[in-house]
Amino acid sequence: MGRPPCCYKEKLRKGLWSPEEDEKLLRHITHHGHGCWSSVPKLAGLQRCGKSCRLRWINYLRPDLKRGAFSQEEESLIIELHAVLGNRWSQIAAQLPGRTDNEIKNLWNSCLKKKLRQRGIDPNTHKPLSEIKNEEDKAFDRNKNHEKSSMEETSKMGMVVQENMISSFANERYPLEVSSCRKLSTNNLAANSETHEFFRSGCFLTTYEDGGTATNLVGDFSFQQLVYGLNFGIFKNPDTTLSFNSIPNDRASNQFNFGALPSMILPLMSTSNILTPRRVKNSVCIAADSSMNSYTNASNGFQTLETTMMGTSGNSSHESTTNIELQSNSSFFESISWGIENCGESGKEAQIQGLEANPEEIKWPECLQTPFLLAPSSQNQCPQTSYGEIKPEVPFPMIETTMDIYSKDLQRLAESFGQIF
DNA sequence: AATACACTCAACCGCGCGAGC
DNA sequence: GGCTCGCGCGGTTGAGTGTAT
Protein backbone atom coordinates (compact mmCIF):
# COMPACT_ATOMS: atom_id res chain seq x y z
CA MET A 1 0.00 0.00 0.00
CA GLY A 2 1.49 3.31 -1.03
CA ARG A 3 1.10 6.67 0.54
CA PRO A 4 -2.26 8.32 0.36
CA PRO A 5 -2.60 10.65 -2.61
CA CYS A 6 -1.34 14.13 -1.96
CA CYS A 7 -4.78 15.46 -2.89
CA TYR A 8 -6.10 14.05 0.39
CA LYS A 9 -4.01 16.46 2.37
CA GLU A 10 -6.03 19.44 1.40
CA LYS A 11 -9.31 20.07 -0.28
CA LEU A 12 -8.04 20.22 -3.80
CA ARG A 13 -9.78 20.30 -7.11
CA LYS A 14 -9.91 17.14 -9.20
CA GLY A 15 -11.17 16.32 -12.64
CA LEU A 16 -10.96 18.25 -15.84
CA TRP A 17 -8.93 21.38 -16.00
CA SER A 18 -10.60 24.67 -16.79
CA PRO A 19 -9.05 27.10 -19.29
CA GLU A 20 -8.31 29.43 -16.37
CA GLU A 21 -6.36 26.76 -14.57
CA ASP A 22 -4.45 25.94 -17.73
CA GLU A 23 -3.64 29.60 -18.15
CA LYS A 24 -2.33 29.89 -14.59
CA LEU A 25 -0.20 26.79 -14.86
CA LEU A 26 1.15 27.71 -18.26
CA ARG A 27 2.03 31.23 -17.16
CA HIS A 28 3.76 30.02 -14.03
CA ILE A 29 5.88 27.38 -15.70
CA THR A 30 6.72 29.63 -18.63
CA HIS A 31 8.07 32.26 -16.27
CA HIS A 32 9.55 30.18 -13.47
CA GLY A 33 9.87 26.61 -14.69
CA HIS A 34 8.19 23.87 -12.74
CA GLY A 35 10.93 23.31 -10.17
CA CYS A 36 9.53 21.20 -7.39
CA TRP A 37 6.13 20.03 -8.59
CA SER A 38 4.72 19.90 -5.11
CA SER A 39 5.24 23.63 -4.77
CA VAL A 40 3.87 24.53 -8.20
CA PRO A 41 0.17 24.69 -7.27
CA LYS A 42 0.79 27.10 -4.44
CA LEU A 43 3.06 29.34 -6.48
CA ALA A 44 0.74 29.24 -9.49
CA GLY A 45 -2.36 29.87 -7.40
CA LEU A 46 -4.02 26.60 -8.19
CA GLN A 47 -6.18 24.38 -6.02
CA ARG A 48 -4.54 21.30 -7.43
CA CYS A 49 -1.94 18.85 -6.25
CA GLY A 50 1.54 18.93 -7.71
CA LYS A 51 1.01 15.61 -9.32
CA SER A 52 -2.03 16.81 -11.19
CA CYS A 53 -0.14 19.90 -12.33
CA ARG A 54 2.73 17.81 -13.58
CA LEU A 55 0.41 15.56 -15.53
CA ARG A 56 -1.45 18.46 -17.06
CA TRP A 57 1.79 20.06 -18.17
CA ILE A 58 3.33 16.90 -19.57
CA ASN A 59 0.25 15.65 -21.36
CA TYR A 60 -1.37 18.84 -22.52
CA LEU A 61 0.34 22.17 -21.94
CA ARG A 62 3.90 21.40 -22.90
CA PRO A 63 4.75 23.52 -25.95
CA ASP A 64 6.61 20.81 -27.82
CA LEU A 65 3.65 18.48 -28.00
CA LYS A 66 2.62 17.22 -31.37
CA ARG A 67 -1.12 17.48 -31.89
CA GLY A 68 -3.31 15.44 -34.13
CA ALA A 69 -3.67 11.86 -35.14
CA PHE A 70 -0.80 9.43 -35.19
CA SER A 71 0.70 8.80 -38.58
CA GLN A 72 1.09 5.33 -40.03
CA GLU A 73 4.81 5.57 -39.42
CA GLU A 74 4.27 6.45 -35.80
CA GLU A 75 1.88 3.57 -35.34
CA SER A 76 4.32 1.15 -36.91
CA LEU A 77 7.10 2.43 -34.74
CA ILE A 78 5.00 2.04 -31.62
CA ILE A 79 4.24 -1.55 -32.55
CA GLU A 80 7.90 -2.22 -33.20
CA LEU A 81 8.96 -0.63 -29.98
CA HIS A 82 6.26 -2.38 -28.01
CA ALA A 83 7.53 -5.70 -29.30
CA VAL A 84 10.86 -4.91 -27.72
CA LEU A 85 9.99 -2.77 -24.73
CA GLY A 86 6.57 -4.04 -23.78
CA ASN A 87 4.40 -1.62 -21.81
CA ARG A 88 7.23 0.76 -21.07
CA TRP A 89 5.27 3.68 -22.39
CA SER A 90 7.67 6.35 -21.30
CA GLN A 91 10.52 4.67 -23.12
CA ILE A 92 8.38 4.26 -26.19
CA ALA A 93 7.32 7.89 -25.97
CA ALA A 94 10.96 8.92 -25.82
CA GLN A 95 11.33 7.60 -29.35
CA LEU A 96 8.39 9.62 -30.64
CA PRO A 97 9.07 13.33 -30.28
CA GLY A 98 6.04 15.31 -29.25
CA ARG A 99 4.06 12.33 -28.12
CA THR A 100 3.34 11.50 -24.51
CA ASP A 101 3.38 8.15 -22.83
CA ASN A 102 -0.27 8.59 -21.92
CA GLU A 103 -1.20 9.30 -25.51
CA ILE A 104 0.69 6.27 -26.76
CA LYS A 105 -0.78 4.09 -24.07
CA ASN A 106 -4.26 5.19 -25.02
CA LEU A 107 -3.59 4.58 -28.68
CA TRP A 108 -2.28 1.16 -27.89
CA ASN A 109 -5.20 0.16 -25.73
CA SER A 110 -7.89 1.56 -27.96
CA CYS A 111 -6.55 0.96 -31.41
CA LEU A 112 -3.27 -0.82 -31.97
CA LYS A 113 -4.13 -3.84 -29.88
CA LYS A 114 -7.19 -4.34 -31.96
CA LYS A 115 -5.30 -3.95 -35.20
CA LEU A 116 -2.78 -6.54 -34.17
CA ARG A 117 -5.50 -8.97 -33.20
CA GLN A 118 -7.10 -8.46 -36.58
CA ARG A 119 -3.81 -9.46 -38.11
CA GLY A 120 -3.85 -12.56 -35.97
CA ILE A 121 -1.12 -11.33 -33.67
CA ASP A 122 -1.26 -11.41 -29.94
CA PRO A 123 -0.60 -7.82 -28.84
CA ASN A 124 1.00 -8.96 -25.63
CA THR A 125 3.54 -11.36 -27.04
CA HIS A 126 3.55 -10.13 -30.64
CA LYS A 127 3.27 -13.72 -31.67
CA PRO A 128 0.52 -15.05 -33.84
CA LEU A 129 -2.58 -16.09 -32.00
CA SER A 130 -2.55 -19.24 -33.99
CA GLU A 131 0.91 -20.23 -32.89
CA ILE A 132 -0.20 -22.78 -30.36
CA LYS A 133 -2.79 -24.12 -32.71
CA ASN A 134 -0.27 -24.30 -35.49
CA GLU A 135 2.17 -26.16 -33.34
CA GLU A 136 -0.50 -28.69 -32.61
CA ASP A 137 -1.34 -28.87 -36.29
CA LYS A 138 2.29 -29.28 -37.17
CA ALA A 139 2.70 -32.10 -34.75
CA PHE A 140 -0.26 -33.74 -36.37
CA ASP A 141 0.98 -33.07 -39.87
CA ARG A 142 4.45 -34.24 -38.96
CA ASN A 143 3.16 -37.70 -38.38
CA LYS A 144 1.02 -37.73 -41.46
CA ASN A 145 3.53 -36.22 -43.79
CA HIS A 146 6.35 -38.41 -42.68
CA GLU A 147 4.18 -41.37 -43.47
CA LYS A 148 3.45 -40.47 -47.01
CA SER A 149 6.80 -38.82 -47.66
CA SER A 150 6.82 -36.29 -50.42
CA MET A 151 10.07 -37.50 -51.88
CA GLU A 152 8.55 -38.28 -55.22
CA GLU A 153 6.79 -35.02 -55.59
CA THR A 154 9.82 -33.18 -54.34
CA SER A 155 11.93 -34.79 -56.95
CA LYS A 156 9.47 -33.85 -59.65
CA MET A 157 9.53 -30.26 -58.61
CA GLY A 158 13.29 -30.13 -58.40
CA MET A 159 13.34 -29.30 -54.77
CA VAL A 160 16.66 -29.95 -53.23
CA VAL A 161 17.46 -29.19 -49.69
CA GLN A 162 20.29 -30.16 -47.51
CA GLU A 163 19.31 -29.91 -43.95
CA ASN A 164 22.84 -29.39 -42.76
CA MET A 165 23.06 -26.22 -44.79
CA ILE A 166 20.42 -24.51 -42.83
CA SER A 167 21.89 -21.82 -40.71
CA SER A 168 20.57 -21.08 -37.33
CA PHE A 169 19.83 -17.76 -35.80
CA ALA A 170 19.13 -16.44 -32.36
CA ASN A 171 21.04 -19.41 -31.00
CA GLU A 172 18.42 -21.79 -32.23
CA ARG A 173 17.99 -24.05 -35.19
CA TYR A 174 14.88 -24.18 -37.22
CA PRO A 175 15.41 -27.19 -39.37
CA LEU A 176 13.45 -27.66 -42.47
CA GLU A 177 11.18 -30.57 -42.20
CA VAL A 178 8.32 -31.97 -44.07
CA SER A 179 5.98 -31.32 -41.22
CA SER A 180 6.34 -27.61 -41.66
CA CYS A 181 5.03 -27.72 -45.18
CA ARG A 182 1.48 -27.52 -44.14
CA LYS A 183 -1.15 -27.75 -46.79
CA LEU A 184 -3.93 -25.24 -46.62
CA SER A 185 -7.46 -26.05 -47.39
CA THR A 186 -9.56 -23.83 -49.57
CA ASN A 187 -11.91 -23.34 -46.72
CA ASN A 188 -9.20 -21.81 -44.68
CA LEU A 189 -8.22 -19.48 -47.43
CA ALA A 190 -11.75 -18.34 -47.89
CA ALA A 191 -12.05 -17.40 -44.27
CA ASN A 192 -11.90 -13.77 -43.54
CA SER A 193 -8.86 -12.45 -41.80
CA GLU A 194 -7.63 -15.74 -40.55
CA THR A 195 -4.11 -16.43 -39.63
CA HIS A 196 -3.12 -19.53 -41.46
CA GLU A 197 0.40 -20.11 -40.66
CA PHE A 198 3.15 -18.93 -38.54
CA PHE A 199 6.68 -19.61 -39.36
CA ARG A 200 9.92 -18.79 -37.83
CA SER A 201 12.48 -17.97 -40.36
CA GLY A 202 15.76 -16.40 -40.80
CA CYS A 203 16.24 -13.81 -43.43
CA PHE A 204 19.62 -13.38 -45.03
CA LEU A 205 20.77 -10.32 -46.81
CA THR A 206 23.53 -11.45 -49.04
CA THR A 207 25.96 -9.74 -51.33
CA TYR A 208 27.93 -11.65 -53.89
CA GLU A 209 31.40 -11.13 -55.17
CA ASP A 210 30.02 -10.21 -58.56
CA GLY A 211 28.14 -7.33 -56.98
CA GLY A 212 24.73 -8.95 -56.90
CA THR A 213 22.50 -8.97 -53.88
CA ALA A 214 19.84 -11.32 -52.69
CA THR A 215 17.44 -11.87 -49.90
CA ASN A 216 17.29 -15.42 -48.68
CA LEU A 217 14.65 -16.84 -46.49
CA VAL A 218 15.49 -19.81 -44.46
CA GLY A 219 13.80 -21.66 -41.73
CA ASP A 220 10.57 -23.35 -41.23
CA PHE A 221 9.34 -23.19 -44.75
CA SER A 222 5.69 -23.31 -45.41
CA PHE A 223 3.28 -22.98 -48.19
CA GLN A 224 2.96 -19.34 -47.40
CA GLN A 225 6.63 -18.84 -47.86
CA LEU A 226 6.22 -20.34 -51.23
CA VAL A 227 3.76 -17.62 -52.01
CA TYR A 228 6.07 -15.22 -50.33
CA GLY A 229 8.82 -16.42 -52.56
CA LEU A 230 6.65 -15.93 -55.58
CA ASN A 231 6.07 -12.43 -54.46
CA PHE A 232 9.77 -11.89 -54.20
CA GLY A 233 10.41 -13.52 -57.51
CA ILE A 234 7.85 -11.67 -59.49
CA PHE A 235 8.78 -8.23 -58.46
CA LYS A 236 12.40 -8.29 -57.51
CA ASN A 237 15.16 -8.40 -60.07
CA PRO A 238 13.47 -11.01 -62.19
CA ASP A 239 16.23 -11.16 -64.73
CA THR A 240 19.06 -11.73 -62.36
CA THR A 241 19.92 -14.25 -59.77
CA LEU A 242 17.30 -14.74 -57.18
CA SER A 243 18.02 -16.68 -54.12
CA PHE A 244 15.14 -15.31 -52.18
CA ASN A 245 13.78 -18.59 -51.12
CA SER A 246 16.83 -20.67 -51.20
CA ILE A 247 18.59 -22.49 -48.51
CA PRO A 248 21.02 -20.05 -47.02
CA ASN A 249 24.52 -19.96 -48.13
CA ASP A 250 26.84 -22.55 -46.86
CA ARG A 251 29.18 -20.33 -44.99
CA ALA A 252 31.73 -23.01 -44.37
CA SER A 253 32.48 -23.30 -48.05
CA ASN A 254 31.37 -19.79 -48.92
CA GLN A 255 29.25 -21.42 -51.54
CA PHE A 256 25.82 -20.49 -52.60
CA ASN A 257 23.46 -23.38 -52.41
CA PHE A 258 20.09 -23.87 -53.91
CA GLY A 259 16.88 -24.06 -52.14
CA ALA A 260 13.55 -25.66 -52.18
CA LEU A 261 11.53 -23.11 -54.02
CA PRO A 262 13.34 -21.90 -57.11
CA SER A 263 11.77 -24.67 -59.07
CA MET A 264 8.45 -23.00 -58.48
CA ILE A 265 9.80 -19.86 -60.01
CA LEU A 266 11.52 -21.45 -62.92
CA PRO A 267 8.80 -20.78 -65.45
CA LEU A 268 9.04 -17.16 -64.51
CA MET A 269 12.75 -16.76 -64.41
CA SER A 270 15.87 -17.49 -66.26
CA THR A 271 16.82 -20.95 -65.15
CA SER A 272 20.51 -20.54 -65.65
CA ASN A 273 20.60 -17.38 -63.64
CA ILE A 274 18.91 -19.02 -60.76
CA LEU A 275 21.06 -22.05 -60.76
CA THR A 276 24.46 -20.57 -61.39
CA PRO A 277 26.51 -20.77 -58.22
CA ARG A 278 27.85 -17.47 -57.00
CA ARG A 279 30.41 -16.74 -54.41
CA VAL A 280 29.19 -15.00 -51.35
CA LYS A 281 30.87 -11.82 -50.29
CA ASN A 282 28.84 -11.05 -47.25
CA SER A 283 25.71 -12.25 -45.57
CA VAL A 284 23.81 -11.27 -42.52
CA CYS A 285 21.08 -13.25 -40.88
CA ILE A 286 18.10 -11.62 -39.35
CA ALA A 287 15.82 -13.49 -37.11
CA ALA A 288 12.22 -13.02 -37.93
CA ASP A 289 8.84 -14.22 -36.94
CA SER A 290 6.11 -14.06 -39.46
CA SER A 291 2.44 -14.58 -39.71
CA MET A 292 0.10 -14.66 -42.60
CA ASN A 293 -3.50 -13.73 -42.93
CA SER A 294 -5.75 -14.01 -45.89
CA TYR A 295 -8.59 -11.77 -46.82
CA THR A 296 -11.14 -12.31 -49.48
CA ASN A 297 -12.03 -9.46 -51.77
CA ALA A 298 -15.71 -9.98 -52.35
CA SER A 299 -15.78 -7.81 -55.44
CA ASN A 300 -13.20 -9.63 -57.49
CA GLY A 301 -12.77 -12.88 -55.64
CA PHE A 302 -9.10 -12.28 -55.04
CA GLN A 303 -7.36 -13.58 -52.02
CA THR A 304 -4.99 -11.18 -50.42
CA LEU A 305 -2.33 -12.91 -48.46
CA GLU A 306 -0.83 -10.59 -45.96
CA THR A 307 2.46 -11.57 -44.46
CA THR A 308 3.71 -9.77 -41.45
CA MET A 309 7.28 -10.28 -40.53
CA MET A 310 8.56 -9.18 -37.20
CA GLY A 311 12.25 -9.15 -36.75
CA THR A 312 14.36 -8.27 -33.80
CA SER A 313 18.01 -7.82 -33.34
CA GLY A 314 19.58 -6.42 -30.26
CA ASN A 315 17.56 -3.47 -29.15
CA SER A 316 15.88 -2.81 -32.43
CA SER A 317 12.80 -4.42 -33.78
CA HIS A 318 10.95 -4.29 -36.96
CA GLU A 319 7.72 -5.23 -38.58
CA SER A 320 6.83 -5.20 -42.21
CA THR A 321 3.85 -6.39 -44.09
CA THR A 322 3.75 -7.83 -47.56
CA ASN A 323 0.59 -8.33 -49.50
CA ILE A 324 0.08 -10.52 -52.48
CA GLU A 325 -3.20 -10.95 -54.20
CA LEU A 326 -4.13 -14.25 -55.72
CA GLN A 327 -7.19 -15.34 -57.47
CA SER A 328 -8.73 -18.21 -55.65
CA ASN A 329 -8.15 -21.49 -57.27
CA SER A 330 -9.10 -24.44 -55.25
CA SER A 331 -7.18 -26.98 -57.23
CA PHE A 332 -4.04 -24.96 -56.90
CA PHE A 333 -4.35 -24.36 -53.24
CA GLU A 334 -5.46 -27.81 -52.40
CA SER A 335 -2.81 -29.51 -54.38
CA ILE A 336 0.22 -27.69 -53.13
CA SER A 337 2.04 -29.98 -50.89
CA TRP A 338 5.71 -30.01 -50.97
CA GLY A 339 8.36 -31.51 -48.93
CA ILE A 340 12.01 -31.66 -48.44
CA GLU A 341 14.39 -34.07 -49.89
CA ASN A 342 17.36 -34.36 -47.68
CA CYS A 343 19.60 -35.62 -50.35
CA GLY A 344 23.34 -35.70 -50.53
CA GLU A 345 25.59 -33.41 -52.46
CA SER A 346 25.73 -35.67 -55.48
CA GLY A 347 21.99 -35.91 -55.64
CA LYS A 348 21.71 -32.19 -55.48
CA GLU A 349 24.25 -31.72 -58.21
CA ALA A 350 22.45 -34.17 -60.38
CA GLN A 351 19.18 -32.41 -59.99
CA ILE A 352 20.66 -29.02 -60.59
CA GLN A 353 22.51 -30.18 -63.66
CA GLY A 354 19.41 -31.86 -64.90
CA LEU A 355 17.42 -28.72 -64.54
CA GLU A 356 20.08 -26.63 -66.17
CA ALA A 357 20.39 -28.99 -69.05
CA ASN A 358 16.70 -29.37 -69.70
CA PRO A 359 14.74 -26.69 -67.97
CA GLU A 360 11.85 -27.28 -70.30
CA GLU A 361 11.51 -30.80 -69.11
CA ILE A 362 10.67 -29.99 -65.57
CA LYS A 363 7.72 -32.04 -64.55
CA TRP A 364 5.06 -29.96 -62.98
CA PRO A 365 2.29 -31.35 -60.91
CA GLU A 366 -0.93 -31.31 -62.79
CA CYS A 367 -2.45 -28.80 -60.44
CA LEU A 368 0.26 -26.28 -61.19
CA GLN A 369 -0.72 -26.18 -64.83
CA THR A 370 -3.81 -24.37 -63.72
CA PRO A 371 -3.24 -20.70 -64.23
CA PHE A 372 -3.43 -18.49 -61.23
CA LEU A 373 -3.29 -14.78 -61.23
CA LEU A 374 -0.89 -12.49 -59.51
CA ALA A 375 -1.33 -8.85 -58.93
CA PRO A 376 -0.06 -6.44 -56.35
CA SER A 377 -2.85 -5.80 -53.95
CA SER A 378 -2.46 -2.06 -54.20
CA GLN A 379 -2.65 -1.99 -57.97
CA ASN A 380 -5.51 -3.91 -59.37
CA GLN A 381 -4.75 -2.64 -62.81
CA CYS A 382 -1.59 -4.70 -62.91
CA PRO A 383 -1.68 -7.21 -65.74
CA GLN A 384 -3.09 -10.46 -64.59
CA THR A 385 -0.69 -12.99 -65.85
CA SER A 386 -0.97 -16.67 -66.03
CA TYR A 387 2.29 -18.02 -64.79
CA GLY A 388 2.37 -20.56 -67.55
CA GLU A 389 2.40 -17.80 -70.11
CA ILE A 390 5.24 -15.79 -68.68
CA LYS A 391 8.39 -15.77 -70.70
CA PRO A 392 11.69 -14.74 -69.21
CA GLU A 393 12.19 -11.95 -71.72
CA VAL A 394 8.91 -10.32 -70.85
CA PRO A 395 9.64 -7.43 -68.53
CA PHE A 396 8.14 -7.79 -65.12
CA PRO A 397 6.32 -4.93 -63.52
CA MET A 398 9.07 -3.18 -61.62
CA ILE A 399 7.06 -1.20 -59.19
CA GLU A 400 7.53 -0.04 -55.65
CA THR A 401 6.07 -3.15 -54.18
CA THR A 402 5.76 -4.10 -50.63
CA MET A 403 8.75 -6.30 -51.27
CA ASP A 404 10.81 -3.23 -51.97
CA ILE A 405 9.61 -1.71 -48.79
CA TYR A 406 10.44 -4.93 -47.10
CA SER A 407 13.93 -4.82 -48.44
CA LYS A 408 14.39 -1.33 -47.14
CA ASP A 409 13.25 -2.39 -43.76
CA LEU A 410 15.59 -5.33 -43.81
CA GLN A 411 18.31 -2.91 -44.68
CA ARG A 412 17.49 -1.04 -41.52
CA LEU A 413 17.77 -4.21 -39.58
CA ALA A 414 21.00 -5.08 -41.26
CA GLU A 415 22.38 -1.73 -40.31
CA SER A 416 21.48 -2.42 -36.77
CA PHE A 417 23.91 -5.28 -37.05
CA GLY A 418 26.48 -2.74 -38.02
CA GLN A 419 26.84 -4.05 -41.52
CA ILE A 420 26.37 -2.02 -44.64
CA PHE A 421 25.31 -3.54 -47.90
C1' DA B 1 -35.94 11.27 -30.80
C1' DA B 2 -34.45 8.13 -27.40
C1' DT B 3 -31.60 4.68 -25.90
C1' DA B 4 -27.76 1.61 -25.76
C1' DC B 5 -23.40 0.60 -26.82
C1' DA B 6 -18.59 1.51 -28.32
C1' DC B 7 -14.83 4.24 -28.30
C1' DT B 8 -11.52 7.93 -27.03
C1' DC B 9 -8.82 10.31 -24.03
C1' DA B 10 -7.84 13.19 -19.98
C1' DA B 11 -7.12 12.38 -15.50
C1' DC B 12 -6.64 9.74 -11.35
C1' DC B 13 -4.60 6.17 -8.43
C1' DG B 14 -1.31 2.97 -6.53
C1' DC B 15 3.12 1.71 -6.42
C1' DG B 16 8.25 1.49 -6.99
C1' DC B 17 12.34 3.87 -6.70
C1' DG B 18 15.83 6.99 -5.32
C1' DA B 19 17.37 11.00 -2.69
C1' DG B 20 17.87 13.18 1.53
C1' DC B 21 17.87 13.22 6.33
C1' DG C 1 19.48 1.00 8.10
C1' DG C 2 15.04 3.13 8.41
C1' DC C 3 11.98 6.67 7.41
C1' DT C 4 9.85 10.40 4.66
C1' DC C 5 9.09 12.58 0.56
C1' DG C 6 8.81 13.65 -4.39
C1' DC C 7 8.89 11.95 -8.92
C1' DG C 8 7.67 9.08 -12.54
C1' DC C 9 5.46 5.10 -14.44
C1' DG C 10 1.78 2.00 -15.75
C1' DG C 11 -2.93 0.51 -14.90
C1' DT C 12 -7.46 2.01 -14.57
C1' DT C 13 -11.47 4.97 -14.54
C1' DG C 14 -15.10 7.65 -16.16
C1' DA C 15 -16.83 11.72 -18.70
C1' DG C 16 -17.60 13.01 -23.22
C1' DT C 17 -18.60 11.86 -27.86
C1' DG C 18 -19.88 9.16 -31.81
C1' DT C 19 -22.60 5.54 -33.86
C1' DA C 20 -26.04 1.99 -34.30
C1' DT C 21 -30.61 0.47 -33.38
Side-chain angles (χ1 to χ4, degrees), chain A residues 225-238:
Chain A
Q225 274 181 306
L226 183 149
V227 177
Y228 210 71
L230 281 173
N231 199 15
F232 284 24
I234 295 294
F235 300 117
K236 189 74 174 174
N237 301 325

Side-chain angles (χ1 to χ4, degrees), chain A residues 284-300:
Chain A
V284 61
C285 178
I286 297 165
D289 289 346
S290 308
S291 67
M292 180 162 289
N293 296 319
S294 80
Y295 306 89
T296 304
N297 183 334
S299 62
N300 62 11

Side-chain angles (χ1 to χ4, degrees), chain A residues 70-86 89 92-93 95-96 99-100 103-105 107-109 112 116 126 317 319:
Chain A
F70 282 79
S71 67
Q72 190 58 51
E73 288 73 27
E74 286 177 312
E75 289 189 5
S76 298
L77 183 57
I78 291 168
I79 292 170
E80 289 175 18
L81 290 168
H82 188 272
V84 176
L85 298 169
W89 304 117
I92 293 172
Q95 305 301 317
L96 288 105
R99 300 297 189 182
T100 70
E103 210 177 359
I104 292 167
K105 183 171 56 184
L107 178 74
W108 179 263
N109 288 326
L112 297 183
L116 284 177
H126 290 259
S317 68
E319 174 180 314

Side-chain angles (χ1 to χ4, degrees), chain A residues 173-194:
Chain A
R173 284 177 64 86
Y174 295 90
L176 287 173
E177 53 188 353
V178 174
S179 60
S180 67
C181 306
R182 203 158 72 94
K183 186 170 71 176
L184 296 178
S185 74
T186 309
N187 287 341
N188 278 346
L189 282 165
N192 187 42
S193 185
E194 177 175 346

